[in-house]
Amino acid sequence: MSEADVIDIEARSPAMDADAATPIDPFPAEYERPCWRCYDDRIERYGKKLPSGVYYHGIKENADSPPTMTDDWHCGPLHVVALTANQEDGDHGRLLKYRNVNGNWKRWAMPMQMLAGDGVEVLGVLMAEGLAIDRKRKARLLDYINAQSPRDRLRAATMTGWHGGAFVLPDEVIGADDIWYQATERTAPYGTAGTLDGWRDAVAARAVGNPLLTLGLSAAFAGVLLERLNIDGAGLHLFGDSSTGKTSILAASISVWGGPSFRRTWRTTSNGLEGAAKMHTGTLLALDEVGEVNPRDLYEAAYALCNGHGKTRANVRGEARQVSRWRVFVLSTGEVTISSRMAAGGYEAKAGQSLRLLDVPVAGVCGAWDNLHGFPTGGGLSDAIRDGAARHYGHAGRAFVRALIGEVADDDDLSTRLQTIVGGFGAADGQESRAARIFGLCALAGELATQAGIVPWEIGQAAQAALDCFKRWREHRGTDGRNAEDAAILRAVADFIDKHGDSRFSSLDDHEAQAVRDRAGYWKDSGSGRLYLFTPSGLRDATRGYDFGRVLDALDKAGAISGRDAGRRSKKVRVAAKGSVSLYFIDPEKLGGER
């Protein structure tokens, strides 16, 4: 129903016609029926007060008497004010405007696909939002919504984030008035409370002198830049002992976009994380306590969250459904690293995963804090930050978007600034450059927020904090300048030797040795120490999940292959009862120390 169809009760509700002195019926005449009408105010009819809302005015045919006019109330005031669809002419919906039992007007862009079945989900959302509904006539209410054809047309946005030059949030669209967020549920974690000035004083100001808090707040802004810089996604994982301030940093970061309900936990499935990523596209996905996630789900999510797309799934006909997509910055916390949590389930973290969610150790003078801002303990500062984040939230992220739309330079300039920041990190190889780009993205976001006056920091604070944390990441990574995949391969071989050196290897020279079960090779003492002579199958077993050629390259580059035949990386030797076999001579001393 369009706004033009709404009955103006004040214009039609005088109790008596001045000339005829007869009551005026505000309901439609017989020739106008059957029809739907929505009344925003209470109705006075023949001296009787009737509730406002949606009525179906019908005609009941009688066999032996004139037809009877019926007037059935279905729900409180509810208008269909616009039709919605995305820019590809899909995702059609209806923008509903309704007043709940507390007298508050609300809007919801309802996907039309929700009417394909019995429509119970639609009624559930409306009732949860406080719309009064006659349960006996609830099915007819869906007919009312479906029958309306308003003149206005709006673009539907099924995800948050950038849509052209506008930025969409569930409760606000910044930069356009012809787009509306459309989803199957009204529930969204975004919201506002307090003031931006209050947030600056109670939260952002306490990041001065605290690099980890500066980085966390900068990361909260970084999601807005992902699409502008054509980055699929990125993430940081803060890890350390309990009660060191990790959750307080997460609470502060969350307050850029919403209140405490904005925080999510890792206690979910990989499918659940996909849904969360869509809801947080272009902003921040804050995940607390990685120890609660199933290692298998973490193994899958570490790629998916930062790659920006979910699984390909089939519909009931076996056809591929449209793949879910998003661009989100992830900020995670936990007492263990991402790789450690995967390892608890028997999954070896790949370099690609560790370079998507970067492990940043929490190591300040007092837990996460270097500057206590006058508080006697780190716990006191943590409590103050969490309290401030609970009272003032949701304003900074919106202000950042408005600054990007209205004042900050174009995307080419943003890209140039990011390259300049990353260039100052001194990355040693391609993998460190990739990590530096994530820290650099946070630095750029923090500097833009400083430039816009959103945070009370000096120019350069965000960039310096990102650099400090990059150095912490690099030190913790502990690859001695090696490529992360090379380091992981060497570590896998070293761990295999530690675990099976006495059970799956025997002396090459001991012809009387008993048969070894599941043999992986032999050992041989040399002047420099013991060498492990892997069979090809044994080396593959030690490095499962890695391409064998890639394994040999890593071992060769580290100088761990101690003997070889010309043109090969293995060496033929004679083994009792087996004759000549090819073995890989591995020097464990060249595999590196404990990681």
Side-chain angles (χ1 to χ4, degrees):
M1 172 176 286
S2 67
E3 298 281 8
D5 291 329
V6 178
I7 301 300
D8 185 349
I9 299 302
E10 292 184 357
R12 297 190 53 182
S13 60
M16 304 289 288
D17 185 293
D19 296 327
T22 56
I24 290 178
D25 189 351
F27 286 164
E30 182 176 349
Y31 72 88
E32 297 177 280
R33 298 170 181 244
C35 64
W36 291 95
R37 292 288 189 270
C38 181
Y39 306 89
D40 287 350
D41 301 306
R42 287 181 64 86
I43 308 162
E44 183 175 341
R45 189 173 188 241
Y46 304 138
K48 183 179 180 181
K49 293 284 188 178
L50 300 177
S52 59
V54 174
Y55 284 79
Y56 180 75
H57 301 295
I59 300 177
K60 180 180 180 181
E61 298 292 341
N62 300 312
D64 301 323
S65 60
T68 303
M69 292 191 291
T70 61
D71 306 291
D72 298 326
W73 181 87
H74 284 68
C75 70
L78 168 66
H79 304 287
V80 181
V81 299
L83 303 181
T84 60
N86 65 21
Q87 59 185 5
E88 289 85 23
D89 197 27
D91 290 326
H92 283 257
R94 299 288 187 271
L95 179 58
L96 309 182
K97 176 185 175 183
Y98 49 94
R99 189 173 66 205
N100 67 10
V101 293
N102 290 331
N104 299 317
W105 284 99
K106 297 190 174 185
R107 292 181 182 241
W108 172 42
M110 178 204 75
M112 284 300 290
Q113 66 185 26
M114 295 181 71
L115 297 181
D118 57 11
V120 65
E121 292 180 343
V122 175
L123 298 171
V125 172
L126 294 174
M127 294 179 77
E129 289 291 296
L131 179 67
I133 295 177
D134 186 332
R135 294 186 68 254
K136 295 179 180 179
R137 300 187 176 102
K138 59 185 179 181
R140 291 296 306 278
L141 176 58
L142 302 176
D143 294 336
Y144 161 71
I145 294 173
N146 189 59
Q148 307 311 301
S149 298
R151 300 185 187 93
D152 291 340
R153 301 290 191 271
L154 295 176
R155 285 184 287 162
T158 57
M159 293 192 303
T160 57
W162 292 104
H163 291 262
F167 195 88
V168 175
L169 295 172
D171 58 346
E172 182 181 7
V173 177
I174 303 171
D177 56 9
D178 64 339
I179 301 178
W180 202 267
Y181 179 75
Q182 180 170 295
T184 55
E185 296 184 4
R186 283 278 300 164
T187 303
Y190 299 85
T192 58
T195 65
L196 179 58
D197 287 340
W199 179 83
R200 286 193 193 99
D201 294 339
V203 180
R206 288 166 174 154
V208 175
N210 289 311
L212 279 171
L213 180 55
T214 300
L215 180 70
L217 292 175
S218 298
F221 295 113
V224 179
L225 301 178
L226 291 173
E227 183 167 333
R228 302 284 295 268
L229 293 167
N230 196 29
I231 299 173
D232 291 331
L236 299 173
H237 174 68
L238 308 181
F239 74 94
D241 294 340
S242 62
S243 302
T244 53
K246 303 183 302 295
T247 302
S248 298
I249 293 174
L250 196 70
S253 303
I254 284 167
S255 67
V256 170
W257 295 104
S261 63
F262 195 88
R263 179 179 71 91
R264 296 180 179 273
T265 71
W266 275 106
R267 191 178 179 82
T268 183
T269 63
S270 57
N271 292 342
L273 287 171
E274 287 187 18
K278 289 185 65 175
M279 186 174 288
H280 293 262
T281 291
T283 59
L284 175 73
L285 178 57
L287 297 169
D288 197 16
E289 204 47 67
V290 75
E292 295 183 347
V293 70
N294 183 290
R296 178 182 178 84
D297 290 323
L298 178 60
Y299 186 83
E300 296 177 354
Y303 276 120
L305 287 177
C306 297
N307 281 351
H309 59 82
K311 297 178 182 177
T312 298
R313 297 179 174 87
N315 59 23
V316 294
R317 297 180 297 277
E319 301 165 342
R321 294 179 180 175
Q322 184 176 358
V323 176
S324 297
R325 297 191 178 277
W326 54 79
R327 289 181 194 265
V328 67
F329 197 100
V330 180
L331 185 62
S332 165
T333 67
E335 295 182 19
V336 298
T337 64
I338 296 292
S339 58
S340 295
R341 184 56 188 161
M342 290 183 191
Y347 297 91
E348 175 75 21
K350 300 295 187 292
Q353 293 165 318
S354 62
L355 290 172
R356 283 167 171 79
L357 282 172
L358 303 176
D359 290 321
V360 182
V362 173
V365 175
C366 298
W369 318 120
D370 294 317
N371 183 345
L372 295 181
H373 288 269
F375 289 91
T377 64
L381 176 58
S382 295
D383 292 343
I385 290 172
R386 289 197 301 271
D387 180 64
R391 289 185 291 110
H392 304 280
Y393 57 78
H395 301 284
R398 298 164 198 251
F400 186 72
V401 171
R402 292 189 179 94
L404 280 179
I405 292 175
E407 300 177 10
V408 177
D410 60 22
D411 294 353
D412 289 338
D413 181 64
L414 292 177
S415 181
T416 300
R417 293 181 64 173
L418 176 60
Q419 292 174 12
T420 301
I421 292 172
V422 173
F425 278 56
D429 55 30
Q431 292 186 340
E432 284 198 0
S433 294
R434 185 171 179 176
R437 194 178 188 213
I438 295 176
F439 285 103
L441 177 67
C442 297
L444 176 60
E447 292 300 324
L448 291 173
T450 303
Q451 175 185 325
I454 298 168
V455 291
W457 305 340
E458 295 291 335
I459 295 294
Q461 176 179 326
Q464 185 60 50
L467 176 58
D468 291 345
C469 293
F470 170 74
K471 292 178 179 178
R472 294 186 190 186
W473 167 83
R474 182 163 56 185
E475 181 179 352
H476 165 74
R477 184 177 180 229
T479 57
D480 297 331
R482 295 190 181 107
N483 176 286
E485 289 179 344
D486 287 352
I489 290 170
L490 300 182
R491 183 168 57 247
V493 176
D495 290 347
F496 188 87
I497 292 172
D498 287 342
K499 187 175 182 179
H500 303 293
D502 294 329
S503 60
R504 297 182 64 181
F505 296 83
S506 65
S507 172
L508 181 67
D509 301 322
D510 186 0
H511 302 298
E512 304 298 326
Q514 296 181 354
V516 173
R517 183 178 181 181
D518 296 327
R519 180 181 294 280
Y522 304 86
W523 55 261
K524 179 179 181 180
D525 288 330
S526 66
S528 60
R530 177 165 293 185
L531 301 179
Y532 285 84
L533 285 53
F534 279 81
T535 63
S537 62
L539 189 55
R540 284 189 172 90
D541 192 14
T543 56
R544 288 180 182 178
Y546 295 98
D547 178 78
F548 193 62
R550 183 72 181 79
V551 169
L552 296 178
D553 288 343
L555 291 169
D556 209 1
K557 190 185 303 183
I561 299 179
S562 181
R564 68 183 73 200
D565 292 328
R568 303 178 64 86
R569 287 187 279 205
S570 61
K571 184 175 182 178
K572 282 188 175 295
V573 297
R574 292 194 62 80
V575 177
K578 291 189 177 182
S580 181
V581 296
S582 293
L583 300 175
Y584 294 93
F585 283 55
I586 305 301
D587 183 353
E589 296 298 322
K590 299 297 180 65
L591 298 176
E594 183 179 352
R595 301 296 174 212

